[in-house]
Amino acid sequence: MAMNASLITPVLLFSMDSDQFWAAPTTTGGLKAYYQQYGSQVDNYQIELIHFKNEDAILRWQQSWQETYLPAIKAAEQAGQQAIIGFSMYTWNAAEFLDIIHQIKAQCPNVLCIAGGPHVQQAEDYLGEDPIDIIILGEGETSFQEILDTPQRIHWPNINGIAYLENGDIHKTPERQRRKYLDELPSALDVIDLCDAEGKPLYDSISYETSRGCPFKCAFCEWGTGAIGSKMYQFSMDRVRSDWHKIVNAGIKDIWLADSNFGALKEDLEKAQLICELKEKTGLPSSFATSWSKKHSPRVQEIVLLLHKNGLLPHYQLALQTLTPLALELSNRQNMAANKYEPIARQMAAEGVPIAAELIWGLPGDNLAEFENNLDQLLKTFPNLNIFAYTLLPGTEFYEKRLEYKIETIPVAGYGKAKGEYVVACHTFDRDEGIEGYFLITAHILFAHGHLIPLAIRYLALQNGITTAPLLRTLLRAVCVEYQDDLPNLDLQDRMVVYENRATIFTCILKNPLRLYALFETEIIRYLQDTNNGHLSDATRHILSLDYALSPRCGEATKANYEFNFNAVSSKAALDCLSLPSAADLSPETHQVLCVKSPGGVGTILKDPDGGAWLRGEIEYQQADIQTVKILHPNVKPTQAIQ
């Protein structure tokens, strides 16, 4: 049936950010821009981008749906048109979007529902179970354009790269070949309003891709497989330069790259130079983040140091994922040898570069004992360590081999397949061991990553004969007992409840820092005595007092003086450089009074331990006697401590 040109057909494209970021809708914007340039029925469609910041925005939209969108779709249907809804689906929004899809299809069963994105590449999990009509497999721009040009079912077999139900069976059309010349894609920024009527930026950040593809085929990841593909293609520098000028001219403060391996391509250095030039001329962007190349090449190091020098590097992360040989083998990964990454980590830490390593708990082939050894090794080597729980995602090799590897899962936050599945057991670790691993990484996230006792953990990790994993779990169990009455709605004896509610626990325990750190001191000293390490007790108390002074705080920004009966400045500098403080540093003969500036904000600005380092306290160094002690960076040991 030919479309009725007398009425504009509504096309609603939905996207949603993750909890932490408010970015422009570049995925759906790219679809709209592509159709406006290449579509044959442009005048017959009204394509609207509906972009949600969070779940509250969805609730507000529900009223608009009833008052505006539903009547428009009904009117189009009465005129013989078929309205179209499309969803850009990722792990963080799939549950919410499935709810919206069910709602819309219940009220408008004839609307054409299209879904695309990494989370729906396993079409079998959705078609027939959820009221989705078409799933786009792989790159979506051309498939989306062809669907809009020929939306009738009779034409679907002629559209490559889609999946749909045919007589109750899933039919997949031939694979759509990836686009090699990315400049053929119009910019999403051509159709997205970046500023309001007063010229103020509408978004905090932009998620931007300068390249597509990933040369690695990690079994746990959607990159390199599924919607992304293995060969890397990139946009021209002219295109990148034009878009980045638009972004900074709009006043958007952060650029987050969606590239899989930044630094792997020789042009990436030129991109880094461009972003630094923009920062120097305009003051923007404020920060620039990306997923780094899995290989630390000289080019990568040059880019990292350049961005750091220009204040654009929130972190540089070495994606090790695991050090366990079998887990590496099954994951199709091969890490650089320890004798290569250890000097890199120490050199960058000494230069003040915020370098971090990444670990994943729950990969098939791993086990808790080896994971604990890996944790100890990396705590000695990297100033920062990011640990993630492995979530089994559709479209990955491990997802396809879940029976072979005897993978057991539980739903993420109760949403089942919509938000992925926690891996709690497989052929190399049982369920109790798997859940204990979640408990361990919760302890690390709270106490180290949340910046509660990072220096004490590092100090003990650097000692010979101390294993940090049992201590971390001991501390978390003590916290669960101490604060159970403060959190009566949570069963803190359930380890997965503790993991899933770590943000609530974090903000709760920081309401009274004195109570929390008294508990830390009691439990750590007891642990040292029980493990025949009591000789470290006095020094550990010193380091704990420094952690206390620098920990994130509730309330408003404050300045406070803290007294230390040891050389706190020199001890912190040594630990920041991944070295043990000297005996002289820890001697009680030194007395220091340091002013610490705390930004506050726990429970308001900061609601999650993942951001602990962003709102930690900072020492304000002062003039000492006649000589001014200049601290070039916290990792650079001063020539004279402030007495």
Side-chain angles (χ1 to χ4, degrees):
M1 179 179 66
M3 294 184 63
N4 184 348
S6 64
L7 183 70
I8 300 297
T9 301
V11 178
L12 309 180
L13 298 183
F14 293 82
S15 56
M16 180 179 178
D17 273 326
S18 63
D19 295 336
Q20 291 87 4
F21 304 109
W22 177 226
T26 48
T27 52
T28 51
L31 296 176
K32 179 177 180 178
Y34 189 88
Y35 191 76
Q36 288 188 346
Q37 180 163 327
Y38 295 106
S40 64
Q41 309 261 2
V42 175
D43 293 338
N44 292 338
Y45 287 114
Q46 177 66 46
I47 301 176
E48 181 173 348
L49 307 182
I50 299 175
H51 186 51
F52 299 124
K53 185 174 185 178
N54 48 36
E55 292 185 42
D56 290 340
I58 294 178
L59 294 176
R60 292 191 296 271
W61 176 81
Q62 298 289 348
Q63 184 173 353
S64 297
W65 161 253
Q66 295 294 337
E67 296 176 354
T68 304
Y69 296 104
L70 179 58
I73 290 175
K74 292 290 188 182
E77 186 175 303
Q78 291 174 2
Q81 303 284 20
Q82 184 181 32
I84 297 172
I85 55 175
F87 295 83
S88 177
M89 297 183 71
Y90 291 83
T91 303
W92 59 81
N93 65 29
E96 290 81 3
F97 280 175
L98 287 174
D99 287 343
I100 292 176
I101 289 169
H102 279 270
Q103 174 191 343
I104 293 177
K105 291 288 276 188
Q107 295 180 283
C108 306
N110 294 323
V111 72
L112 178 62
C113 178
I114 307 168
H119 204 75
V120 292
Q121 294 304 295
Q122 198 82 8
E124 295 82 357
D125 289 342
Y126 296 90
L127 294 175
E129 294 188 23
D130 298 293
I132 298 171
D133 298 302
I134 298 175
I135 288 180
I136 294 178
L137 305 175
E139 291 181 335
E141 291 89 356
T142 304
S143 298
F144 176 74
Q145 171 246 313
E146 292 180 3
I147 292 170
L148 263 61
D149 283 346
T150 55
Q152 297 83 10
R153 175 177 284 272
I154 192 174
H155 298 296
W156 294 359
N158 301 321
I159 301 173
N160 288 346
I162 65 172
Y164 56 90
L165 284 181
E166 187 69 49
N167 297 322
D169 296 323
I170 294 176
H171 177 73
K172 294 183 179 180
T173 62
E175 179 182 354
R176 181 171 296 282
Q177 296 301 306
R178 291 178 58 212
R179 188 178 297 273
K180 297 180 180 179
Y181 304 104
L182 298 189
D183 278 13
E184 295 173 349
L185 301 171
S187 174
L189 304 185
D190 294 340
V191 301
I192 298 173
D193 291 327
L194 299 179
C195 299
D196 62 17
E198 298 178 354
K200 297 180 180 179
L202 290 169
Y203 305 98
D204 298 330
S205 59
I206 285 278
S207 178
Y208 188 93
E209 59 179 4
T210 73
S211 66
R212 287 184 176 181
C214 178
F216 301 95
K217 291 186 176 294
C218 303
F220 51 80
C221 184
E222 294 164 314
W223 263 335
T225 59
I228 307 299
S230 58
K231 188 171 178 59
M232 295 184 71
Y233 302 106
Q234 61 182 325
F235 290 94
S236 68
M237 279 304 303
D238 287 342
R239 167 65 173 273
V240 173
R241 186 175 293 106
S242 173
D243 280 351
W244 286 4
H245 275 280
K246 291 179 184 177
I247 292 167
V248 298
N249 289 340
I252 293 174
K253 64 184 184 68
D254 299 317
I255 295 179
W256 309 100
L257 282 199
D259 296 21
S260 65
N261 282 267
F262 190 65
L265 302 172
K266 65 179 187 296
E267 291 83 359
D268 289 343
L269 176 58
E270 188 176 353
K271 297 167 192 173
Q273 292 167 340
L274 170 61
I275 209 74
C276 292
E277 291 171 8
L278 289 171
K279 175 68 176 285
E280 183 178 0
K281 292 178 180 178
T282 70
L284 293 173
S286 299
S287 65
F288 176 82
T290 186
S291 292
W292 290 94
S293 171
K294 307 304 180 287
K295 296 181 179 179
H296 183 89
S297 65
R299 182 193 304 124
V300 170
Q301 181 150 331
E302 183 177 358
I303 291 172
V304 169
L305 294 175
L306 176 65
L307 293 175
H308 176 63
K309 178 182 177 182
N310 286 273
L312 283 165
L313 189 72
H315 66 269
Y316 168 55
Q317 188 157 288
L318 282 180
L320 299 176
Q321 273 88 41
T322 179
L323 305 182
T324 303
L326 180 58
L328 283 170
E329 178 185 343
L330 298 183
S331 298
N332 305 322
R333 284 296 304 272
Q334 183 177 1
N335 285 336
M336 66 177 72
N339 62 357
K340 291 186 177 180
Y341 68 71
E342 287 180 359
I344 291 171
R346 292 185 180 277
Q347 176 191 352
M348 289 201 164
E351 295 187 30
V353 175
I355 187 171
E358 179 181 289
L359 274 182
I360 299 175
W361 166 246
L363 293 174
D366 213 340
N367 61 79
L368 190 56
E370 289 191 81
F371 183 83
E372 290 179 351
N373 290 335
N374 298 340
L375 175 61
D376 271 337
Q377 180 177 340
L378 295 181
L379 283 172
K380 297 176 183 179
T381 308
F382 288 86
N384 302 290
L385 187 58
N386 298 322
I387 308 179
F388 302 96
Y390 177 45
T391 303
L392 190 65
L393 297 175
T396 62
E397 182 178 330
F398 280 153
Y399 191 92
E400 296 173 358
K401 293 184 175 181
R402 59 191 306 164
L403 294 179
E404 178 182 347
Y405 294 145
K406 300 179 181 178
I407 294 175
E408 297 179 27
T409 64
I410 58 177
V412 173
Y415 283 98
K417 69 178 182 182
K419 286 198 173 181
E421 304 164 79
Y422 294 133
V423 173
V424 294
C426 68
H427 66 306
T428 55
F429 58 87
D430 63 24
R431 193 179 187 90
D432 183 69
E433 188 176 336
I435 292 176
E436 188 68 7
Y438 278 86
F439 195 72
L440 170 59
I441 68 172
T442 306
H444 180 271
I445 292 169
L446 288 171
F447 305 144
H449 207 56
H451 215 264
L452 299 184
I453 50 171
L455 297 176
I457 292 171
R458 186 174 305 157
Y459 174 73
L460 295 175
L462 289 168
Q463 305 290 336
N464 292 324
I466 292 184
T467 303
T468 55
L471 171 60
L472 288 171
R473 291 201 297 269
T474 295
L475 290 176
L476 184 52
R477 285 192 165 88
V479 164
C480 290
V481 171
E482 174 71 20
Y483 290 89
Q484 179 62 82
D485 290 343
D486 299 71
L487 297 167
N489 295 326
L490 299 179
D491 179 6
L492 298 186
Q493 300 307 306
D494 185 323
R495 292 168 292 178
M496 292 305 296
V497 168
V498 173
Y499 173 75
E500 290 188 333
N501 292 278
R502 58 194 180 276
T504 300
I505 295 170
F506 180 74
T507 55
C508 173
I509 62 180
L510 275 173
K511 291 178 181 178
N512 186 340
L514 286 173
R515 175 187 175 190
L516 175 63
Y517 282 83
L519 177 66
F520 282 152
E521 180 175 336
T522 298
E523 295 299 327
I524 292 175
I525 299 306
R526 180 185 294 131
Y527 179 83
L528 292 176
Q529 292 171 346
D530 290 345
T531 57
N532 298 318
N533 289 292
H535 60 285
L536 299 173
S537 296
D538 289 342
T540 303
R541 287 190 179 95
H542 288 329
I543 304 302
L544 272 173
S545 67
L546 189 53
D547 275 328
Y548 170 79
L550 299 175
S551 71
R553 290 285 196 268
C554 298
E556 302 296 324
T558 59
K559 286 186 181 181
N561 290 328
Y562 293 88
E563 295 188 23
F564 300 96
N565 292 319
F566 70 107
N567 194 326
V569 171
S570 190
S571 296
K572 181 180 183 301
L575 289 168
D576 284 341
C577 291
L578 301 170
S579 299
L580 283 170
S582 67
D585 291 336
L586 296 169
S587 169
E589 297 176 2
T590 302
H591 178 74
Q592 289 183 339
V593 177
L594 300 179
C595 179
V596 174
K597 181 179 180 180
S598 173
V602 172
T604 52
I605 299 172
L606 176 64
K607 300 180 181 180
D608 190 293
D610 285 338
W614 294 93
L615 292 183
R616 63 189 175 188
E618 296 289 346
I619 297 173
E620 289 198 334
Y621 297 98
Q622 305 170 9
Q623 181 171 317
D625 298 326
I626 299 174
Q627 181 181 8
T628 299
V629 180
K630 294 182 178 179
I631 307 297
L632 302 179
H633 188 277
N635 287 346
V636 179
K637 196 168 183 177
T639 56
Q640 177 183 336
I642 303 173
Q643 303 295 327

